[in-house]
Amino acid sequence: MKANNFFISIHPMLWVMAMASFLSGQFLSFFVLFVLVLMHEAAHAMTAVFFRWEITKLTLLPFGGQLIVKKILNKPVSEELAVIISGPLLHLLIHLIILNFQPSFFFTDELYHLNLQLLLFNLLPVWPLDGGRICYCIANLFFPFKKSIHISIVCSLISLIVIIIHLLDGLQFQWMLLYLYTAVCTLQLYRNRHMLHKQFLLEKWGENATDLKHKVQVVEGLTNIQVLVNKMYKGKKQRFILLNNGKMIGNLSDVMIIKRYFSAS
């Protein structure tokens, strides 16, 4: 279906979770979880709209959702962090409301525990959970885009291995499906890392925003063009000062370098 100019879909994993909950007599739990997921993703979407991001699709998942946004790879890190954190902040708000006002609804206990589980699960440093995306954004604050992707993949894989080793004996079927899904997403991120880097460069090339932060880097004049594109940062306008024996021999913008890179490809 379509709402506010972007499509909303439900991932098959959510239907599997619904069937598993129904067969195990936990349909109330699934309904509460589904409402929490809707609220979680609404928080993400509203924050994205606040920053005037162009959302094309929203897919609902068992632990949250996936926003498909045009030109997201070169968005400012501060904006992307705000969009990501809005989901967990909503769960934290719900948690504080329950603790302070202690509503006496018949589903309050279910709401309390599922909301807390969803909050903690989403904060795991695993891709594509909010925690994994937060790690990705933090990496982008200090490292170029390409290296940040690599850091995210390594962090996600290590976290998954540690989690599964410690929880393997006590994992329920639903949770095992979720961890399997995150593992598949992490492997997809690894397989697509080169394509994502090229897409990032194209978005950076076509970026017309004038309010992006500027970054100046000094490099050797004979530096390979591939090395230069690997030094590109997310959400920043860059300029490279080329030196030879300590003297400036050139001054290139990120757009000029990217244009040369694709011309030579």
Side-chain angles (χ1 to χ4, degrees), residues 83-96:
V83 172
I84 294 169
I85 292 173
S86 62
L89 283 179
L90 173 70
H91 295 300
L92 181 60
L93 178 61
I94 294 173
H95 181 74
L96 294 175

Side-chain angles (χ1 to χ4, degrees), residues 119-250:
L119 170 62
L120 297 177
F121 179 74
N122 262 289
L123 288 177
L124 292 174
V126 176
W127 189 269
L129 304 180
D130 290 338
R133 294 181 182 275
I134 290 172
C135 289
Y136 158 75
C137 286
I138 292 175
N140 273 288
L141 290 173
F142 302 99
F143 302 103
F145 177 86
K146 188 172 184 177
K147 190 169 185 179
S148 297
I149 289 288
H150 290 165
I151 292 173
S152 300
I153 293 169
V154 172
C155 181
S156 184
L157 287 175
I158 292 175
S159 299
L160 271 174
I161 292 171
V162 172
I163 291 168
I164 291 176
I165 289 176
H166 281 78
L167 302 179
L168 189 59
D169 291 338
L171 274 182
Q172 296 178 346
F173 175 71
Q174 294 95 323
W175 289 105
M176 182 62 76
L177 285 177
L178 290 179
Y179 285 120
L180 178 62
Y181 174 79
T182 58
V184 171
C185 288
T186 301
L187 291 176
Q188 286 179 337
L189 181 64
Y190 173 77
R191 291 178 60 185
N192 297 332
R193 66 193 188 283
H194 298 303
M195 181 193 69
L196 286 173
H197 185 237
K198 288 187 176 182
Q199 182 62 38
F200 160 72
L201 294 175
L202 289 172
E203 291 184 14
K204 197 174 183 69
W205 185 359
E207 181 59 63
N208 296 317
T210 58
D211 57 345
L212 295 179
K213 293 182 178 180
H214 287 71
K215 182 178 181 64
V216 178
Q217 291 177 269
V218 178
V219 297
E220 288 296 322
L222 298 178
T223 302
N224 185 277
I225 194 74
Q226 181 67 57
V227 175
L228 292 178
V229 295
N230 289 347
K231 291 179 177 290
M232 298 290 179
Y233 280 74
K234 173 183 174 67
K236 292 181 179 179
K237 287 287 187 183
Q238 289 174 257
R239 185 162 292 277
F240 293 84
I241 306 298
L242 307 180
L243 298 182
N244 187 16
N245 296 324
K247 295 182 179 180
M248 188 176 78
I249 60 172

Side-chain angles (χ1 to χ4, degrees), residues 9-29:
S9 65
I10 298 177
H11 194 276
M13 183 70 72
L14 192 56
W15 293 119
V16 173
M17 293 282 290
M19 182 61 68
S21 299
F22 181 78
L23 294 175
S24 60
Q26 297 177 330
F27 192 74
L28 174 63
S29 298

